[in-house]
Amino acid sequence: MTAIDIRGPQGNAFALMGTAKSLAKQLGYDADEIVNEMMQGDYEHLLDTFEKHFPVVELIGRDEEDYDE
C-alpha cells in the first residue's frame, strides 16, 4: 500500500491534485474529472475525493485533529 503523509509537503492541496492526476493516468481514469471533483469543496472534500478514487493510498495524518491544511 502506498502512503502519503498529509502533515508534510505531500499533503498540500496542489501536491495531492498532482498525485491524483498522475495516479489517474496510470490507472486509466479520467484525471481531469477527478481533479475537478477534488476542487469542488474545501480541503476535507479534497481528501474525501482522493480517498474515494484511490482507496489503496493511505493518507497518514488524516485522522489527527491538527494537521496543516
Side-chain angles (χ1 to χ4, degrees):
M1 175 181 273
T2 302
I4 297 173
D5 187 345
I6 64 168
R7 299 166 297 187
Q10 290 181 316
N12 173 287
F14 293 106
L16 285 168
M17 287 187 286
T19 299
K21 193 168 197 168
S22 176
L23 287 172
K25 287 180 180 179
Q26 292 175 36
L27 296 169
Y29 298 164
D30 186 334
D32 291 333
E33 182 179 319
I34 293 170
V35 171
N36 286 336
E37 183 181 345
M38 292 172 79
M39 294 190 307
Q40 295 305 310
D42 61 8
Y43 186 71
E44 287 298 318
H45 174 79
L46 182 138
L47 296 177
D48 290 341
T49 305
F50 188 96
E51 288 182 320
K52 178 177 93 175
H53 290 285
F54 309 107
V56 298
V57 179
E58 179 184 5
L59 297 180
I60 298 171
R62 175 80 200 263
D63 296 327
E64 295 180 13
E65 288 185 25
D66 46 18
Y67 51 80
D68 294 332
E69 294 186 18

